[in-house]
Amino acid sequence: TPSSLAWATSSTRAGISALLRMRPAIAHVRRHGAELAVPAADLAVGDLVIVRLGEVVPADGRIESGTAAVDERALTGESIPVDKGPGDAVCEGSLSLDGVIELRVERVGADTALGRMLYLIEQAAATRAPIQRLADRWASWFVPIVLLVAAVVGWRTGDLVRAVSVLVVACPCALVLATPTAVVAAIG
């Protein structure tokens, strides 16, 4: 139904917005022995980033020092925090639940796991799935045939109710509306 499509669409948009909010605005970087707060968008590969308790990892990287329990549920679906230490990879958008880690940035911006995830979601939303194209193709010949049958039934019987009944019974709304709803819900 149109309301389920609207619900699925708004749910998907809310999910994408939540992913975008996972990107921190500020990152704490150690440069020339001093700690600086810089815009996360200005991080470069090779920067040494400090992530403290309650902070979100601003870029993909590998931990050089420190340990922390990291909540990666938004990226991996894993509901239990993962203990991370030196040599372990961490992804942008992960949340440090305890401890302090210093990580060497390996990927920034659109190259991060979160950036690639957002790109794939945008691509999936922008392209039509093969099942959608099939439903459109099917509806393009089915609807005219149903209209013709309804017109013939109405003309032969002289009963408008029977003609409308043919339209109601043969209506492809379930297929035509269910397909995009399912696709949008899957993207979400």
Side-chain angles (χ1 to χ4, degrees), residues 25-179:
I26 301 294
H28 302 283
V29 180
R30 188 176 314 273
R31 291 186 182 152
H32 310 296
E35 184 180 324
L36 306 169
V38 299
D42 292 346
L43 288 175
V45 172
D47 279 343
L48 187 63
V49 175
I50 303 163
V51 181
R52 292 184 178 80
L53 166 69
E55 291 183 345
V56 176
V57 176
D60 288 1
R62 204 156 288 283
I63 297 175
E64 287 201 354
S65 67
T67 60
V70 179
D71 181 354
E72 300 176 326
R73 84 178 69 208
L75 298 169
T76 65
E78 176 63 44
S79 62
I80 299 172
V82 179
D83 291 328
K84 300 277 187 166
D88 291 335
V90 289
C91 296
E92 176 186 21
S94 300
L95 176 67
S96 174
L97 298 177
D98 67 10
V100 176
I101 54 175
E102 291 186 0
L103 66 105
R104 186 69 61 185
V105 174
E106 294 178 345
R107 289 182 298 278
V108 295
D111 293 332
T112 64
L114 181 61
R116 290 191 311 265
M117 186 184 306
L118 288 168
Y119 172 77
L120 291 172
I121 290 169
E122 290 169 1
Q123 289 301 312
T127 58
R128 295 178 63 80
I131 191 71
Q132 284 180 285
R133 289 192 295 274
L134 177 66
D136 289 345
R137 210 171 30 244
W138 183 79
S140 71
W141 62 264
F142 182 75
V143 171
I145 289 172
V146 169
L147 290 173
L148 180 64
V149 169
V152 168
V153 167
W155 175 72
R156 295 276 290 155
T157 65
D159 188 358
L160 183 61
V161 173
R162 286 187 183 184
V164 171
S165 296
V166 168
L167 290 176
V168 170
V169 170
C171 179
C173 291
L175 177 68
V176 173
L177 292 176
T179 302

